[in-house]
Amino acid sequence: MATKCGKCGPGYPTPLEAMKGPREEIVYLPCIYRNTGTEAPDYLATVDVDPKSPHYCQVIHRLPMPNLKDELHHSGWNTCSSCFGDSTKSRNKLMLPCIMSSRIYVVDVGSDPRAPKLHKVIEAEDIHAKCGLGYLHTSHCLASGEVMISSLGDPKGNGKGGFVLLDGETFEVKGTWEQPGGAAPMGYDFWYQPRHNVMISTEWAAPNVFGDGFNPADVEAGLYGSHIHVWDWQRHKIVQTLPLQDGLIPLEVRFLHNPDAAQGFVGCALSSTIQRFYKNQGGTWSVEKVIQVPPKKVKGWLLPEMPGLITDILLSLDDRFLYFSNWLHGDLRQYDISDPQRPRLTGQGKRVPGGPQMIQLSLDGKRLYVTTSLYSAWDKQFYPDLIREGSVMLQIDVDTIKGGLKLNPNFLVDFGKEPLGPALAHELRYPGGDCSSDIWL
């Protein structure tokens, strides 16, 4: 699925070369049954997204996990463009960490990309014993050949933002990436940029806080994240913790794809802000609010005002556009970030059932895919119809010249019609890599 050349490894040499890659033909996405009332394991769905295929917009394969109530969530690769120069590496395993069971499933997508199969299960006990971590979230491959996965908590569900390190060949648990005792108070997402010797991590809340649903009192009690952490990439330790102005629950973090860039963005869910972080001349880091989505006054809701709840963000590979989803307001937005300090709104998508949540952009930037499930316990609380009817996957056509978004009326994958009952579909991945899984060195 990757480019072929003399001594190349997986992925592409640069982000701009990746934009010239082949059009996506299939998509992998985890589907969740936890909290839906269906007693069945979560599974990895393979969806045909090739308009020329007779199976277009259909789930063509389902790989059930061997356990119940894992809460599959995000996924990553055994290797990616960070290993482009290593011809011994191949992007053939999809990593599926579980946000609630703390297991890690390693899925073989190389033998038959259209029919993945389970390669290995890393049990929670192994991670607990070797790392003292649990409740796993983001998976990134490293240039060292290792795989790194962020945690949200310790084995008992208290907040602990550490990182599990796996061998990229055997998938044995090696221990923690961070120095002993050096975990952040809370964890969620992360992105590293070796040219600036930096990694940025974010924080949601302790699993014991968010696990069963959202309680506004927990916000008042300061139990949700409001900081980002700056790590020294070589020394594996926190060097700065930056408080966010109007930045409650910082979730997805994205550096600009250009590996020379010393800036990026983080989406703050509850305050509905986009924050820009950047490196100062002296080598320290700062953060500033660059986008604010105003709340809406509502009646009969948890709070007097309803935030947009920015739950996912991503950047086009040429670093021109930023996209994010307002899960509660029910819209998608596109901003021109040619001037990163002054993003300019250029497109806004239409309301969709359940609210747009996870997003993924095609390599060429012309197609934006979206699913509608956030996390099963919060889905059940905020969008009970999602539990009854299942989530959907939609596709938005993107104007990459002038900016603009338009819903593709001919594309719909309805996970309400799955064989075992309505399912909650989450994050999307293409076999050849995408805008949020590849990091360039």
Side-chain angles (χ1 to χ4, degrees), residues 113 208 238:
N208 290 338
I238 295 174

Side-chain angles (χ1 to χ4, degrees), residues 102-125:
S102 303
R103 292 185 180 92
I104 303 169
Y105 295 111
V106 183
V107 175
D108 176 3
V109 296
S111 299
D112 184 352
R114 300 179 75 86
K117 58 186 179 183
L118 192 59
H119 174 73
K120 182 172 182 173
V121 180
I122 303 167
E123 292 292 349
E125 291 76 14

Side-chain angles (χ1 to χ4, degrees), residues 121-345:
V121 180
I122 303 167
E123 292 292 349
E125 291 76 14
D126 195 13
I127 296 158
H128 293 168
K130 293 179 180 176
C131 303
L133 298 172
Y135 303 90
L136 305 178
H137 190 266
T138 299
S139 174
H140 274 304
C141 41
L142 309 185
S144 62
E146 297 164 310
V147 173
M148 185 163 141
I149 301 175
S150 62
S151 76
L152 283 83
D154 67 13
K156 295 183 178 179
N158 303 304
K160 192 175 184 182
F163 303 90
V164 175
L165 209 57
L166 305 178
D167 184 287
E169 299 291 336
T170 65
F171 304 105
E172 292 296 314
V173 179
K174 299 180 71 173
T176 61
W177 174 85
E178 71 277 8
Q179 298 283 357
M186 288 183 266
Y188 186 73
D189 195 22
F190 72 101
W191 195 285
Y192 63 90
Q193 201 81 314
R195 291 191 189 181
H196 296 281
N197 187 37
V198 69
M199 179 177 83
I200 305 287
S201 70
T202 63
E203 44 184 40
W204 185 2
N208 290 338
V209 171
F210 73 79
D212 293 327
F214 175 72
N215 183 347
D218 291 334
V219 178
E220 295 179 19
L223 300 181
Y224 277 94
S226 60
H227 299 77
I228 58 174
H229 304 280
V230 182
W231 300 74
D232 185 300
W233 182 241
Q234 293 179 338
R235 294 191 295 154
H236 301 195
K237 62 185 294 184
I238 295 174
V239 291
Q240 273 185 276
T241 292
L242 300 175
L244 300 170
Q245 176 197 5
D246 301 326
L248 277 172
I249 314 186
L251 294 181
E252 308 298 334
V253 57
R254 308 284 185 247
F255 261 96
L256 297 187
H257 292 289
N258 178 354
D260 280 333
Q263 60 180 318
F265 300 90
V266 58
C268 299
L270 193 59
S271 54
S272 304
T273 61
I274 298 291
Q275 311 268 342
R276 171 183 168 260
F277 57 86
Y278 57 95
K279 189 177 183 179
N280 301 304
Q281 284 189 336
T284 60
W285 292 77
S286 296
V287 64
E288 62 177 352
K289 181 174 73 171
V290 291
I291 299 172
Q292 172 77 65
V293 177
K296 295 182 177 182
K297 292 189 180 297
V298 291
K299 292 181 179 180
W301 199 67
L302 283 170
L303 301 166
E305 294 186 325
M306 179 186 286
L309 210 77
I310 297 174
T311 48
D312 196 16
I313 71 170
L314 58 79
L315 308 181
S316 59
L317 286 170
D318 57 5
D319 293 330
R320 184 183 168 198
F321 291 114
L322 179 150
Y323 299 87
F324 66 80
S325 53
N326 285 309
W327 190 58
L328 290 180
H329 286 183
D331 72 286
L332 285 164
R333 298 194 184 192
Q334 176 198 51
Y335 281 78
D336 187 318
I337 54 168
S338 302
D339 179 355
Q341 293 178 265
R342 296 171 185 81
R344 182 171 59 87
L345 182 63

Side-chain angles (χ1 to χ4, degrees), residues 79-80 82-84 86 89 141-146 192 194 233 441:
T79 186
C80 71
S82 64
C83 293
F84 179 75
D86 188 346
K89 302 293 183 186
C141 41
L142 309 185
S144 62
E146 297 164 310
Y192 63 90
W233 182 241
L441 304 183

